[in-house]
């Protein structure tokens, strides 16, 4: 069963990530971005250059406790869709609120941005290291129906 979410009114709506089963698309001008419900990006297509510019990209959070790497549990997140951006909000660890806002920038060049906001609501001190990785080889393994 497919469920559609209306964007008007209001101009944005919060949806649980468990209800979204398909990819989300964000388009602006000649650019198109394919996002998955887990906030990962599958590809970024620019019609201006007539090709996919970026491959798979995702954000993974983990912490170290007594020298052991502990990954964040995949908890339910909230997706807020508006005409110009998509926002993902989740609580990967106890006391930590993660908000990611993704938008397309179309000007002289084609690009998208991911703004990450972390809020520590626990009393404990946290150290943060952020590493971003893009896999350009993933462009070779995309589906035929992708642009």
């Amino acid at each position: 069963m497919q469920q559609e979410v209306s964007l008007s009114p209001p101009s944005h709506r919060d949806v649980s990530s468990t209800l979204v089963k398909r990819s989300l698309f964000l388009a602006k001008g000649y650019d198109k971005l394919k996002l998955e419900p887990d906030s990962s990006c599958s590809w970024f297509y620019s019609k201006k250059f007539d090709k996919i510019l970026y491959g798979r990209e995702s954000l993974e959070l983990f912490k170290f406790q007594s020298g052991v790497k502990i990954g964040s549990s995949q908890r339910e997140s909230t997706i807020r869709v508006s005409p110009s951006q998509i926002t993902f909000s989740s609580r990967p660890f106890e006391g930590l609120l993660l908000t990611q806002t993704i938008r397309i920038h179309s000007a002289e060049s084609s690009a998208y941005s991911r703004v990450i906001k972390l809020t520590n609501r626990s009393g404990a001190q946290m150290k943060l290291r952020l590493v971003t990785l893009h896999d350009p080889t993933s462009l070779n393994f995309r589906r035929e129906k992708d642009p």
Side-chain angles (χ1 to χ4, degrees):
M1 182 172 135
Q2 186 175 353
Q3 215 177 26
E4 292 188 15
V5 177
S6 172
L7 292 178
S8 63
S11 63
H12 59 308
R13 177 101 20 142
D14 291 341
V15 179
S16 173
S17 63
T18 57
L19 296 176
V20 180
K21 302 296 181 200
R22 293 185 171 190
S23 301
L24 303 166
F25 291 90
L26 188 61
K28 183 176 180 184
Y30 296 109
D31 302 327
K32 191 174 185 180
L33 182 65
K34 181 180 178 185
L35 297 162
E36 302 303 327
D38 66 351
S39 79
S40 64
C41 174
S42 293
W43 46 258
F44 178 74
Y45 175 77
S46 174
K47 189 165 184 158
K48 182 178 181 179
F49 298 105
D50 198 28
K51 65 179 180 178
I52 293 179
L53 300 179
Y54 303 108
R56 184 136 179 92
E57 179 255 338
S58 65
L59 175 72
E60 292 184 36
L61 289 179
F62 56 89
K63 64 180 179 179
F64 286 99
Q65 193 169 19
S66 301
V68 177
K69 178 183 164 187
I70 301 171
S72 66
S73 59
Q74 290 287 44
R75 296 185 182 180
E76 181 179 335
S77 64
T78 303
I79 301 172
R80 175 173 279 197
V81 179
S82 71
S84 62
Q85 66 187 22
I86 297 177
T87 303
F88 297 92
S89 298
S90 64
R91 298 184 183 276
F93 296 108
E94 191 67 36
L96 185 67
L97 175 65
L98 171 67
T99 305
Q100 303 176 58
T101 303
I102 302 169
R103 65 175 57 103
I104 294 177
H105 299 281
S106 296
E108 294 297 319
S109 63
S110 298
Y112 72 95
S113 67
R114 179 186 297 260
V115 178
I116 301 168
K117 179 181 175 185
L118 288 168
T119 306
N120 184 3
R121 298 195 177 204
S122 69
Q125 180 181 3
M126 289 189 182
K127 291 184 179 179
L128 174 68
R129 290 185 183 142
L130 182 63
V131 178
T132 59
L133 299 172
H134 295 273
D135 185 8
T137 62
S138 66
L139 295 174
N140 300 326
F141 303 106
R142 59 189 177 86
R143 298 187 188 118
E144 291 180 13
K145 64 181 179 179
D146 291 343

